[in-house]
């Protein structure tokens, strides 16, 4: 404790010197060394006294992260994300460019096309169904989306998809991309944040939005969904798995999913769920559609897919939806892919996955 107090006092002293003489490199270096020691001592005390699982955030030393003198990119204002910061971030050429399942440039195109106060990204907004994987600019996409979440926390909503999970990120590229552009610790931080993303959103008690679809069994209520422990990697079955993985089918009933997990659900399943929960329809993603969207189950199940020319191969349109009026009638808007730098999809994926794209 005495040693910690000593270095804490030194830190305060050097901090005062740095404020008075900001160009004094020796003082700045000594301040950083003292600060590092103080944090290390605090960390050791925490480990000794606290057996609870610690967040990756606690191990980040943000204060001592250095920014190169010649850095001319986006800058926070007093530590806060601003609209100017987000505009600078989206046009910043230093960012590693790419697609968004990581189709980043198509994501920017959506922002250009939409004039809307509330964005709901159904974790398929830019790549195969979800925020990340497959496309090689997932980092740019997710940082842009998180930035807007910080800028408009009450109006900008992000939902979790089946690709906001560790096993998918390991296979389809996001883990490799983050490690190539940043560090393994950074991927752990993303993984931790993904686990806190909501699984669904209910709009005006009329429309339920999720990534995958409905459930393997009848009787699931909105209260049941609220009670799901989402802060984890998803299980192989159950409501959490279904919300991330299931798909609609044209015939009544349920069948085994072609994906090997969860199920396919028919119009009768959708009708019963909506009636029980007093909802009008559901909006989901999870499947590429030639026109960018598809309306099924007598208008009560809508699929929207926002990654045009998916993986630079599919030739599909992208789409987004505007919900208008008290009845939340959906309006569909289609768009096509925009040019992007010549970095191929799956560039950071597991080598076996890359072979599958050839």
């Amino acid at each position: 404790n005495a040693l910690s107090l000593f270095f804490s006092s030194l830190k305060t002293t050097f901090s005062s010197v740095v404020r008075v003489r900001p160009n004094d490199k020796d003082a700045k270096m000594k301040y950083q060394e003292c600060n590092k020691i103080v944090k290390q001592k605090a960390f050791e005390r925490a480990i000794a006294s606290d057996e609870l699982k610690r967040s990756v955030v606690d191990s980040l030393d943000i204060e001592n992260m250095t920014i190169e003198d010649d850095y001319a990119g986006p800058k926070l204002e007093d530590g806060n994300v601003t609209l100017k910061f987000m505009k600078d971030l989206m046009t910043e050429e230093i960012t590693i460019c790419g697609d968004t399942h990581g189709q980043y440039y198509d994501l920017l195109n959506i922002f250009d096309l939409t004039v809307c106060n509330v964005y709901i990204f159904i974790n398929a907004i830019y790549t195969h169904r979800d925020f990340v994987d497959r496309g090689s600019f997932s980092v740019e996409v997710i940082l842009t989306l998180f930035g807007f979440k910080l800028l408009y926390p009450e109006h900008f909503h992000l939902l979790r998809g089946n690709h906001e999970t560790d096993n998918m990120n390991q296979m389809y590229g996001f883990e490799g991309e983050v490690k190539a552009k940043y560090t393994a610790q950074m991927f752990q931080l993303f993984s931790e944040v993904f686990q806190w993303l909501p699984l669904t959103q209910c709009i005006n008690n009329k429309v339920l939005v999720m990534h995958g679809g409905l459930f393997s069994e009848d009787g699931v209520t909105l209260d049941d969904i609220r009670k799901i422990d989402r802060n984890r990697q998803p299980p192989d079955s159950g409501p959490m798995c279904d919300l991330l993985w299931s798909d609609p089918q044209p015939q009544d009933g349920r069948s085994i999913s072609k994906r090997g997990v969860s199920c396919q659900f028919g119009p009768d399943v959708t009708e019963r769920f909506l009636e029980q929960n007093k909802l009008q329809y559901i909006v989901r993603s999870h499947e590429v559609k030639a026109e960018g969207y598809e309306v099924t189950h007598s208008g009560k199940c809508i699929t929207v897919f926002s990654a045009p020319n998916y993986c630079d191969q599919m030739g599909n349109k992208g789409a987004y939806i505007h919900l208008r009026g008290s009845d939340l009638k959906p309006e569909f808007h289609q768009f096509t892919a925009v040019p992007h730098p010549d970095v191929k999809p799956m560039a950071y994926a597991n080598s076996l996955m890359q072979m599958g794209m050839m």
Side-chain angles (χ1 to χ4, degrees):
N1 288 339
L3 191 60
S4 295
L5 289 173
F6 171 73
F7 281 108
S8 181
S9 177
L10 277 181
K11 172 188 170 183
T12 301
T13 300
F14 285 121
S15 176
S16 299
V17 174
V18 169
R19 280 197 298 270
V20 175
R21 303 172 62 184
N23 295 323
D24 189 329
K25 292 185 178 180
D26 185 58
K28 185 181 291 186
M29 181 183 70
K30 289 178 179 177
Y31 165 76
Q32 291 176 344
E33 289 177 353
C34 289
N35 189 41
K36 190 176 296 184
I37 293 173
V38 169
K39 288 197 171 188
Q40 179 64 29
K41 294 299 180 184
F43 175 70
E44 291 172 356
R45 289 197 304 273
I47 291 178
S49 60
D50 188 0
E51 295 300 322
L52 295 176
K53 180 181 177 183
R54 297 178 65 254
S55 168
V56 177
V57 176
D58 297 332
S59 64
L60 299 177
D61 190 7
I62 297 175
E63 287 186 16
N64 290 315
M65 289 181 179
T66 57
I67 300 176
E68 295 82 358
D69 293 337
D70 60 351
Y71 175 73
K75 294 180 181 178
L76 300 174
E77 294 182 16
D78 298 324
N80 297 316
V81 172
T82 62
L83 182 57
K84 180 181 183 304
F85 174 86
M86 290 308 305
K87 288 181 176 179
D88 290 344
L89 180 65
M90 289 191 295
T91 57
E92 177 53 53
E93 294 181 358
I94 294 175
T95 303
I96 300 174
C97 300
D99 247 344
T100 53
H101 218 315
Q103 287 173 221
Y104 179 60
Y105 294 89
D106 293 308
L107 176 66
L108 299 187
N109 187 35
I110 293 173
F111 286 133
D112 287 339
L113 292 170
T114 57
V115 180
C116 185
N117 291 325
V118 181
Y119 293 90
I120 297 177
F121 289 96
I122 308 169
N123 27 27
I125 199 63
Y126 55 88
T127 78
H128 178 79
R129 302 185 284 268
D130 318 83
F131 303 133
V132 298
D133 287 335
R134 297 194 185 270
S136 298
F137 304 94
S138 297
V139 167
E140 288 71 39
V141 168
I142 198 61
L143 291 179
T144 298
L145 296 178
F146 282 169
F148 270 108
K149 180 62 178 176
L150 292 172
L151 181 62
Y152 299 121
E154 300 301 320
H155 301 288
F156 197 91
H157 305 283
L158 304 172
L159 304 182
R160 190 177 185 181
N162 66 316
H163 277 263
E164 277 69 62
T165 56
D166 284 357
N167 61 345
M168 299 300 281
N169 294 162
Q170 289 160 5
M171 289 189 292
Y172 291 100
F174 185 59
E175 180 179 14
E177 181 182 343
V178 174
K179 288 180 177 179
K181 296 177 180 180
Y182 293 100
T183 62
Q185 182 190 52
M186 189 68 166
F187 174 72
Q188 292 172 358
L189 182 60
F190 275 121
S191 174
E192 188 172 314
V193 174
F194 286 165
Q195 291 184 119
W196 285 108
L197 290 174
L199 299 172
T200 65
Q201 175 146 13
C202 189
I203 304 173
N204 293 354
N205 297 314
K206 294 180 178 180
V207 181
L208 191 66
V209 184
M210 77 284 286
H211 176 68
L214 297 180
F215 306 96
S216 301
E217 296 181 354
D218 284 341
V220 178
T221 66
L222 295 182
D223 282 339
D224 293 330
I225 295 173
R226 293 185 186 101
K227 294 174 183 176
I228 294 175
D229 176 17
R230 71 175 189 263
N231 182 25
R232 56 176 170 159
Q233 295 301 311
D236 294 332
S237 62
M240 182 177 180
C241 174
D242 293 332
L243 286 169
L244 297 175
W245 281 96
S246 70
D247 296 291
Q249 65 181 19
Q251 68 273 22
D252 281 347
R254 294 180 175 88
S255 61
I256 297 173
S257 174
K258 58 184 179 293
R259 302 178 189 273
V261 63
S262 188
C263 70
Q264 296 181 176
F265 59 95
D268 58 330
V269 175
T270 300
E271 180 67 35
R272 288 194 298 271
F273 174 81
L274 295 176
E275 183 176 348
Q276 180 178 7
N277 290 284
K278 298 179 172 59
L279 298 168
Q280 292 184 359
Y281 60 91
I282 65 171
V283 179
R284 42 90 62 182
S285 187
H286 201 34
E287 294 179 286
V288 61
K289 298 297 178 181
E291 295 301 314
Y293 72 96
E294 184 177 63
V295 180
T296 58
H297 296 185
S298 301
K300 296 181 178 180
C301 178
I302 297 173
T303 298
V304 59
F305 193 82
S306 304
N309 193 25
Y310 174 51
C311 287
D312 289 355
Q313 294 183 0
M314 300 299 292
N316 60 290
K317 295 177 182 177
Y320 56 89
I321 301 171
H322 281 157
L323 304 181
R324 299 191 184 278
S326 59
D327 61 352
L328 297 180
K329 182 179 179 180
E331 295 181 1
F332 301 98
H333 300 267
Q334 298 169 299
F335 60 97
T336 55
V338 298
H340 64 80
D342 187 19
V343 180
K344 302 301 182 186
M346 303 287 282
Y348 299 94
N350 179 290
S351 58
L352 292 177
M353 298 298 105
Q354 289 176 335
M355 290 176 63
M357 292 290 293
M358 295 178 181

